[in-house]
Structure formats: structure tokens, C-alpha cells
């Protein structure tokens, strides 16, 4: 099992540089400015041996090696020579470099194209944590002189953690009380409880009196950090790297992403069919007044209100029905002028008749 590190450098003038992807399978990976490091980060703010990624079984941890400017994990500063668990997608910040961590699956070159082989390897990796091998939950010491030691927690057992020699688990730390905390495992899970200690206990950096632990919870007893690991719980699956033909300029693209990108293109032709069928139903309505169709096209969409006048029954271009008088179209200017002239003539004639009778 290996890891994939995506190294991105933040540009000072804005705009990040193109990321570089490094795939490594070593149990220990060093990051720093020295050419002997596995991942060389060429910048003065980076120490010669700045940080280290180490493997413990199927787990990977990162630690700062006493660098001058420190190391950040997901925005939180790491304490020197203290390990932190890495999960897929975690970001390790070193100076202006962001290193994204991903755990990748074991795929040999001879079986790289065999999907069935890859799937079985992924299932095996996940099933390692289902308790089929009879492995018990345990605490892994993350700092101090006992760093890396395992403290197994058996079923139906109770353990007292403290500084006193009578404690079940002796932690030689000044911040640990003589009888500091109790850990008990029963049918409902693993429970931790504070025994009235001076400095208390923390679970995932939150102070508490009692808590039920889950896989990968971090417990602090005084100045000692313990990582609780339960193999019976399903853990995250490793990343499956695509073949070289599926890689793009900016990184790798999975088969699932390629299918999602092709789906909209496949749906475009059916979306265009209704648009092609809409014009035919409108053609019969446009054929009713063929003589005035060019005028409607000249007006365009700017005067849609005038278009219904072409089909108005009161239009003078159509013959009136039998038995009805023909109506006068006052919208025609020539008709209005003619009516005005006739009216004026009638008015003058009336005036002349009146003057004749008066005289």
C-alpha cells in the first residue's frame, strides 16, 4: 500500500502553480529542503528535514521533525516530534507548500487492468477492520517515551490509567494523576471515565468527564495522547488510481467523473426535438391571411400587439356576411377625409339655402 501526495505551491503574486503528484510506497517518507528527502520542497523557509510521514500497518501518521517554522495539519499546528493520524484528503502545510495526502490501493502492474482483482484488493483492505482476525481494540501511544506502543483493551475488562505503580497502565508523566482515568469495555463499547484527576481528560480535544469511544478517537490523559483504534469498525477505503489514459493535465480523473461529464452531452439531442416540432403547428394560422403575411414579418417582434389585427373579423379587406350592411372603416385615412369633405359640402349647402330664404 502506498500514498499519493499532491504538492501545490501558493504563488506570492496570486494564482497557484500547477500541482505535482507524487506516488510513493515507502514506509517512511521525508519532506524537506534537502536533496536526500523523498519529497524536496525547495524554499528557504523549509527545513532540511522538515516533516515525516510514517506507516503503521494500514495507518499513516505525520510528525514535525523540529522544523524552524513548523508544520500545519488541516490548519492546526503540529507539536514537534508528536505524530498525528492522516486521513484521505488531509492537507499538510509546509511554508508555501500544501501537500494533500491520499492513501492508495495496492495494484500490481500485471493486474492493473483487471477490475475484479482491484475490487477484491479494496474489499480485503476494508475487511481487515471487521474483526475477523480476532484482533482486539487498542490504544496507540502518540507521544512521549512510549510512542508507538500498543495497549490492548479486552472484552469485559476494566483498566485504570495513572502515574501510581498500582495502576493497570502506568503513564510516567507529571500531568498524570496517581489514579487518573478508567477505561472499561463491555457489550455496548469502550468507555473512558475521569477519576477526579487534577488535569482531567480530553476526547478529540474536548474536555469531558465520561465518553464512549469510537474508532480513531484521540484521548488525552494529562500530557499523554492515546489514539483509540477499533478494528471491528469499517474504515475509509484507499483511493484507486486510474490508468494513464484517464489522466488529465491538472491531475487524474476517475471513470465515474468522465461518465458524469458525458451524460449532459447525450441528453442535448432530445432537448432540441421539441424546438424543431414547435414551428409546424403555427404555419396553418399564418396561412389564413396570405396577402398580409409579409407585413407581419416586417414588423418583427417589436409590435406583437398589432399581429392579432390581421385576423380581426372587422377588417375591411374581407367581404361582410350576407344580410349585413358593410361597416365604415374609420381607421382608413382616405375614408375619414372623404367623409369630412362630404360633411363640409353639406354644411355649405345648408348655409346657402338659409341665406336665400332669409333674403
Amino acid at each position: 500500500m502506498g500514498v499519493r501526495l499532491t504538492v501545490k505551491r501558493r504563488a506570492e503574486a496570486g494564482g497557484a502553480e500547477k500541482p505535482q503528484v507524487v506516488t510513493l510506497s515507502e514506509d517512511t517518507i521525508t519532506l524537506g529542503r534537502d536533496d536526500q528527502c523523498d519529497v524536496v520542497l525547495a524554499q528557504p523557509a523549509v527545513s532540511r528535514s522538515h516533516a515525516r510521514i510514517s506507516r503503521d500497518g494500514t495507518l499513516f501518521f505525520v510528525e514535525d521533525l523540529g522544523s524552524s517554522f513548523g508544520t500545519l495539519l488541516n490548519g492546526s499546528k503540529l507539536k514537534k516530534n508528536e505524530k498525528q493520524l492522516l486521513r484521505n484528503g488531509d492537507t499538510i502545510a509546509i511554508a508555501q507548500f500544501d501537500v494533500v495526502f491520499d492513501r492508495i490501493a495496492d495494484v500490481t502492474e500485471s493486474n492493473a487492468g483487471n477490475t475484479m482483482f482491484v475490487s477484491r484488493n479494496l474489499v480485503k483492505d476494508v475487511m481487515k477492520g471487521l474483526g475477523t482476525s480476532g484482533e482486539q481494540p487498542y490504544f496507540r501511544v502518540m507521544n512521549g517515551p512510549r510512542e508507538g506502543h500498543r495497549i490492548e483493551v479486552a472484552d469485559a475488562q476494566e483498566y485504570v490509567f495513572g502515574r501510581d505503580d498500582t495502576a493497570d497502565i502506568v503513564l510516567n508523566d507529571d500531568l498524570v494523576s496517581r489514579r487518573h482515568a478508567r477505561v472499561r469495555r463491555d457489550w455496548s463499547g469502550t468507555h473512558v471515565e475521569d477519576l477526579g484527576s487534577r488535569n482531567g481528560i480530553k476526547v478529540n480535544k474536548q474536555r469531558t468527564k465520561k465518553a464512549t469511544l469510537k474508532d480513531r478517537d484521540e484521548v488525552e490523559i494529562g500530557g499523554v495522547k492515546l489514539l483509540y483504534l477499533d478494528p471491528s469498525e469499517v474504515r475509509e477505503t484507499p483511493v484507486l488510481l486510474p490508468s494513464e489514459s484517464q489522466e488529465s493535465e491538472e491531475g487524474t480523473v476517475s471513470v465515474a467523473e468522465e461518465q458524469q461529464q458525458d451524460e449532459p452531452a447525450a441528453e442535448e439531442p432530445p432537448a432540441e426535438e421539441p424546438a424543431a416540432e414547435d414551428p409546424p403547428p403555427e404555419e396553418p394560422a399564418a396561412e389564413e391571411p396570405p396577402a398580409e403575411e409579409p407585413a407581419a414579418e416586417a414588423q418583427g417582434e417589436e409590435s406583437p400587439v398589432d399581429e392579432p389585427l390581421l385576423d380581426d373579423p372587422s377588417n375591411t379587406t374581407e367581404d361582410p356576411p350576407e344580410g349585413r350592411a358593410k361597416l365604415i372603416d374609420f381607421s382608413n385615412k382616405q375614408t375619414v377625409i372623404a367623409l369630412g369633405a362630404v360633411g363640409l359640402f353639406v354644411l355649405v349647402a345648408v348655409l346657402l339655402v338659409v341665406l336665400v330664404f332669409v333674403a
Side-chain angles (χ1 to χ4, degrees):
M1 179 178 298
V3 299
R4 179 182 65 185
L5 302 178
T6 305
V7 184
K8 305 176 184 178
R9 180 173 179 175
R10 300 185 298 273
E12 298 179 355
E17 297 181 0
K18 183 178 179 180
Q20 296 181 355
V21 180
V22 182
T23 303
L24 301 168
S25 58
E26 290 81 2
D27 291 341
T28 302
I29 302 171
T30 55
L31 302 89
R33 194 178 74 248
D34 195 281
D35 294 338
Q36 301 299 322
C37 294
D38 299 296
V39 179
V40 179
L41 306 175
Q43 193 181 21
V46 180
S47 299
R48 292 185 177 276
S49 295
H50 197 107
R52 177 170 55 206
I53 297 175
S54 56
R55 174 182 173 180
D56 185 359
T58 60
L59 303 176
F60 289 86
F61 301 89
V62 61
E63 62 179 315
D64 183 85
L65 298 178
S67 63
S68 301
F69 295 95
T71 305
L72 300 179
L73 177 62
N74 298 327
S76 300
K77 189 172 183 179
L78 296 177
K79 293 184 178 180
K80 296 180 179 180
N81 301 315
E82 181 177 298
K83 293 185 177 181
Q84 288 287 337
L85 179 67
L86 284 173
R87 296 175 173 85
N88 286 353
D90 282 352
T91 301
I92 305 169
I94 298 176
Q96 291 185 346
F97 295 94
D98 287 337
V99 182
V100 180
F101 169 87
D102 285 301
R103 188 168 59 102
I104 60 176
D106 286 329
V107 182
T108 59
E109 294 182 1
S110 59
N111 295 300
N114 192 330
T115 306
M116 181 67 70
F117 176 82
V118 174
S119 301
R120 288 176 179 174
N121 272 3
L122 290 175
V123 172
K124 283 182 179 179
D125 185 78
V126 176
M127 293 298 290
K128 286 179 182 178
L130 297 181
T132 55
S133 62
E135 186 178 3
Q136 298 289 340
Y138 64 95
F139 289 96
R140 185 189 189 279
V141 182
M142 302 297 293
N143 62 347
R146 296 185 61 183
E147 192 277 324
H149 287 197
R150 292 169 49 136
I151 303 172
E152 294 190 358
V153 182
D155 293 336
Q157 295 293 327
E158 183 177 283
Y159 305 89
V160 174
F161 289 68
R163 195 178 71 249
D164 194 86
D165 294 337
T166 60
D168 300 304
I169 308 298
V170 179
L171 302 176
N172 293 320
D173 186 85
D174 295 338
L175 300 178
V176 176
S177 300
R178 293 183 178 276
R179 296 176 64 85
H180 198 113
R182 178 189 295 113
V183 174
R184 183 183 75 260
R185 179 167 177 80
D186 54 26
W187 61 271
S188 62
T190 303
H191 315 276
V192 60
E193 179 184 1
D194 181 54
L195 297 178
S197 63
R198 183 176 68 255
N199 296 308
I201 62 174
K202 292 182 180 179
V203 177
N204 297 327
K205 302 185 185 304
Q206 299 294 326
R207 194 177 183 112
T208 183
K209 289 290 186 182
K210 182 186 297 184
T212 300
L213 301 178
K214 302 184 298 297
D215 181 45
R216 302 189 181 189
D217 279 349
E218 185 180 85
V219 181
E220 295 184 41
I221 300 178
V224 180
K225 291 187 178 181
L226 306 171
L227 181 66
Y228 176 72
L229 297 167
D230 187 356
S232 64
E233 296 188 23
V234 178
R235 300 173 182 173
E236 61 183 3
T237 57
V239 174
L240 177 60
L241 294 181
S243 60
E244 296 181 357
S245 59
Q246 298 171 354
E247 294 182 356
S248 63
E249 295 181 357
E250 298 180 356
T252 57
V253 179
S254 65
V255 177
E257 292 176 348
E258 290 182 354
Q259 292 176 351
Q260 292 176 357
Q261 294 174 359
D262 294 339
E263 287 177 1
E267 294 178 357
E268 288 180 359
E272 294 177 357
E273 291 179 1
E277 294 177 357
D278 291 338
E282 296 178 357
E283 290 179 358
E287 290 177 358
E288 292 180 1
E292 297 183 2
E293 185 176 357
E297 293 178 358
Q299 291 178 358
E301 298 179 354
E302 296 180 358
S303 57
V305 180
D306 297 338
E307 292 179 0
L309 296 176
L310 298 175
D311 299 330
D312 193 349
S314 62
N315 199 325
T316 56
T317 59
E318 299 179 359
D319 295 335
E322 294 181 3
R324 293 186 182 181
K326 188 175 182 179
L327 299 177
I328 300 175
D329 186 9
F330 288 96
S331 62
N332 194 332
K333 293 182 180 180
Q334 295 179 356
T335 303
V336 174
I337 295 173
L339 290 176
V342 172
L344 182 61
F345 178 80
V346 173
L347 181 60
V348 172
V350 172
L351 290 176
L352 289 176
V353 172
V354 173
L355 289 176
V356 169
F357 281 103
V358 173

